[in-house]
């Protein structure tokens, strides 16, 4: 997600485009200014969902896009950039944290933002967990990624928030879903439809399934 | 009766209190930052507290249709502890938040040089962040503390229409009435002001620039004393419109100066905060 693209998207959406243009300019000259401008983005630009966004911006709000634009305008690299991104997350309210998570694939900090994903996944805040499972979640190790996907199922977060789910879902995730399904049945409860569909996809894999059954028998 | 409590410490109250307040007519409030009842030992303790003032408490309040805003500051008591002073450097981050509508509580506790310095620094922050200020006046040596407060406010250059001097009583209200600052009164069960005394002060000094709060915290206090003051005003033959001015329109006008006050009632309550529903028996 480049800054230029977001600036185009926001041109007709931000409530106060002059404020946003000025804020981007200030951050480009003085990255420390972002600390005060980042929280103000909601009240200056608006908090409505982006209308008809392209698929990469599904679920984004105007303030998300404005905040990501501010982050990508910072003329910082390496450790200094990672430190500023981390501080915006630490001192952010839930909306600001969500924007930082959305920005992670667009800022050049390598895998140093993984700790922020771990924090977000710990929170039990569905808005943050959903944002943490975007494209940057490719940096999560498999164990944590599977845990996060299962947590979505627990919390009723639609699995459409998980970037690259079809490609990354593996047999171990299928086993975890099957165990959850068994627990739910024992309790007289059901699985969300999207999780049941994923379970069925993962466990109907013809080469693995008959073999498993033979072993078990 | 619609009520805006301009000073109440909800983090030390139960969720039942929110429910009772909503039933009594409280629809909005401001929770200023203060101490915890025991000393903090680090700046981190403040930031976790500030996070709850902009996150968890607004969520709890929303369960009962109450709009929660807050004021952020290093309180006067802990301004004297060098372990807490470093929180001053992170205040600008919090003073930029949507729900932060003032700097506060600032002011004096024991009137030490450290308190002088921290008070002046935070008045400067209020000017820089274009925010009103909520000033606590000391429990001990209140008259002198109130006078010194007014001197420091004047020296800072802040517009006095953007300052409320709080915890006033019959002895100190006169000092503030002529200063241009707003006058705050905390109604307590035993100490500070009572509802009938408050009604008498309003009769004597008028309704302009007057704010009435419960200042309820973990001490013996009562979050419904704003409503009781409304009743006391009626008993003293104030009109319903006058009650509305003191208990609703005045605080809306004062904190509205922040440009961040949102008292629209349209927002449906959030169902969970960080996955944590406080509706017992719920999911």
């Amino acid at each position: 997600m480049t800054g230029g693209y977001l600036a185009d998207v926001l041109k007709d959406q931000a409530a106060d485009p002059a404020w946003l243009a000025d804020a981007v300019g200030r951050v480009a000259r003085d990255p420390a200014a972002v600390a005060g401008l980042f929280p103000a983005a909601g009240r200056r630009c608006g908090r409505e969902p982006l209308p008809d966004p392209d698929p990469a911006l599904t679920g984004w709000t105007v303030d998300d896009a404005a905040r990501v634009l501010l982050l990508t305008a910072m003329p910082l690299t390496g450790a200094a950039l990672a430190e500023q991104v981390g501080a915006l997350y630490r001192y952010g309210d839930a909306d600001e944290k969500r924007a930082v998570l959305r920005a992670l694939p667009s800022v050049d900090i390598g895998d140093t933002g993984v700790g922020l994903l771990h924090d977000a996944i710990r929170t039990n805040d569905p808005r943050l967990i959903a944002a943490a499972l975007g494209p940057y979640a490719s940096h999560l190790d498999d164990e944590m990624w599977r845990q996060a996907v299962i947590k979505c199922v627990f919390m009723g977060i639609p699995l459409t928030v998980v970037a690259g789910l079809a490609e990354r879902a593996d047999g171990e995730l299928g086993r975890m879903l099957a165990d959850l399904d068994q627990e739910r049945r024992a309790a007289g409860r059901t699985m969300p439809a999207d999780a049941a569909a994923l379970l069925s996809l993962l466990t109907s894999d013809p080469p693995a399934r008959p073999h498993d059954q033979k072993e078990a028998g | 009766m619609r009520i805006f409590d301009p000073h109440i410490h909800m983090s030390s109250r139960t969720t039942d209190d929110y429910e009772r307040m909503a039933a009594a007519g409280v629809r909005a409030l401001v929770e200023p930052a203060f101490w915890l009842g025991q000393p903090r030992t680090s700046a981190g303790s403040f930031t976790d507290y500030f996070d709850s003032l902009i996150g968890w408490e607004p969520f709890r309040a929303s369960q009962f249709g109450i709009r929660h805003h807050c004021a952020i500051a290093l309180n006067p008591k802990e301004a004297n502890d060098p372990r807490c002073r470093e929180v001053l450097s992170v205040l600008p981050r919090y003073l930029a938040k949507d729900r932060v509508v003032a700097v506060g509580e600032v002011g004096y506790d024991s009137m030490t040089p450290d308190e002088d310095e921290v008070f002046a620094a935070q008045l400067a922050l209020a000017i820089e962040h274009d925010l009103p200020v909520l000033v606590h006046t000391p429990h001990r040596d209140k008259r002198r503390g109130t006078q010194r407060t007014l001197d420091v406010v004047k020296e800072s250059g802040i517009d006095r229409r953007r300052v409320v001097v709080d915890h006033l009583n019959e002895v100190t209200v006169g000092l503030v009435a002529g200063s241009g600052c707003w006058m705050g009164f905390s109604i307590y069960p035993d100490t500070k002001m009572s509802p009938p005394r408050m009604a008498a002060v309003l009769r004597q000094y008028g309704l302009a620039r007057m704010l009435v709060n419960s200042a309820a915290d973990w001490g013996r206090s009562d979050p419904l004393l704003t409503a009781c003051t409304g009743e006391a005003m009626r008993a003293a033959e104030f009109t319903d419109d006058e009650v509305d001015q003191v208990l609703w329109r005045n605080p809306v006008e004062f904190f509205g100066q922040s440009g961040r006050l949102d008292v629209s009632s349209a927002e449906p309550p959030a169902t969970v905060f960080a996955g944590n529903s406080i509706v017992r028996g719920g999911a």
Side-chain angles (χ1 to χ4, degrees), chain A residues 49-67:
Chain A
L50 286 174
D52 308 319
D54 78 44
L57 300 179
T58 300
W60 285 45
T61 55
V62 174
D63 56 322
D64 283 339
R67 290 193 174 107

Side-chain angles (χ1 to χ4, degrees), chain A residues 34-37 39-43 47 67 84 87-88 90-97 123-127 155, chain B residues 43-44 46-48 51 54-55 90 92-100 129 258-260 262 272-276:
Chain A
V34 77
L37 296 167
R43 55 187 181 270
R47 303 181 183 89
R67 290 193 174 107
Q84 185 61 269
L88 285 172
R90 162 62 190 88
Y91 294 109
D93 63 16
D95 291 346
E96 295 167 57
K97 284 186 162 79
T123 61
N124 282 17
D125 185 327
R127 299 162 297 183
M155 297 181 64
Chain B
F46 278 92
T47 52
D48 286 344
D51 289 341
I54 61 172
V90 300
R93 286 193 179 270
Y94 288 96
L95 296 180
K97 304 296 181 198
D98 281 342
R99 291 179 181 276
V100 177
H129 291 268
S258 67
R260 304 184 203 168
D262 178 5
V272 290
F273 176 83
N276 185 349

